[in-house]
Amino acid sequence: MTVTPDRTAPLPAADDLLRSVFRRHAAGVAVITAPGPSGPVGFTATSLTSVSARPPLLSFGIGTGSSSWPAVSEAEHVGVHVLGEHQEELAATFARSGADRFAAPTAWREGPEGVPVLDGVLAWLVCRVVGRVPAGDHRIVLAEVLLGDPAGTGAPLLYHQGRYRGLRD
């Protein structure tokens, strides 16, 4: 067993500690979309998680202060889009506060259950929301996969150290 020397004293739990640790955690980048009363909404997420194969369930987190939260809080269905490394600008658009996320050059269409489906992604799913679990200043949304398309080509887009990156061998 190798022991890493203690270079610094451990830090107390705080939001800065959590952010610092998770900046070191590489995560896949997804865009979550939903129909809303004033038009489609969407946001970039790195919290997408597979929960169960039977039934097929996934989860993602969303801040309750997010501009997308009011629509997601009421939506019966959501779209989940796995982005490719060629979609860094799309990820940035859906992460940018105040952006018109569905304006050109974003290419999308209304998909099943009225869910906005983005074009050119590695994969997309349409899901039925089955739960919203309070978690601090966020909600964990649980959703059952209804249908989708995994046929996009390319490598995934990752988020690491505050930047979008491609997967390297």
Side-chain angles (χ1 to χ4, degrees), residues 24-168:
R24 296 179 177 274
H25 174 72
V29 180
V31 168
I32 310 299
T33 61
S38 301
V41 300
F43 63 97
T44 301
T46 56
S47 60
L48 181 63
T49 304
S50 172
V51 174
S52 169
R54 290 193 184 129
L57 297 172
L58 58 80
S59 70
F60 59 86
I62 179 172
T64 56
S66 161
S67 62
S68 297
W69 172 243
V72 173
S73 74
E74 299 291 330
E76 292 182 30
H77 297 89
V78 295
V80 175
H81 307 81
V82 177
L83 300 190
E85 64 184 352
H86 63 286
Q87 295 178 302
E88 184 176 328
E89 187 53 41
L90 183 66
T93 296
F94 277 83
R96 193 174 303 120
S97 181
D100 185 354
R101 297 168 179 158
F102 291 90
T106 300
W108 66 282
R109 65 192 181 284
E110 184 176 309
E113 305 296 341
V115 170
V117 174
L118 302 176
D119 293 340
V121 296
L122 294 186
W124 61 267
L125 300 166
V126 170
C127 305
R128 182 176 59 85
V129 175
V130 296
R132 296 174 185 87
V133 180
D137 61 356
H138 278 61
R139 294 297 180 268
I140 305 301
V141 177
L142 293 167
E144 181 179 14
V145 176
L146 300 178
L147 56 92
D149 183 357
T153 59
L157 182 63
L158 301 178
Y159 191 72
H160 180 251
Q161 292 287 6
R163 293 183 42 214
Y164 296 110
R165 302 170 185 264
L167 184 63
R168 302 289 175 249

Side-chain angles (χ1 to χ4, degrees), residues 3 9 18 106:
V3 177
L18 187 65
T106 300

Side-chain angles (χ1 to χ4, degrees), residues 19-31:
R19 280 191 204 96
S20 294
V21 169
F22 273 87
R23 286 178 68 88
R24 296 179 177 274
H25 174 72
V29 180
V31 168

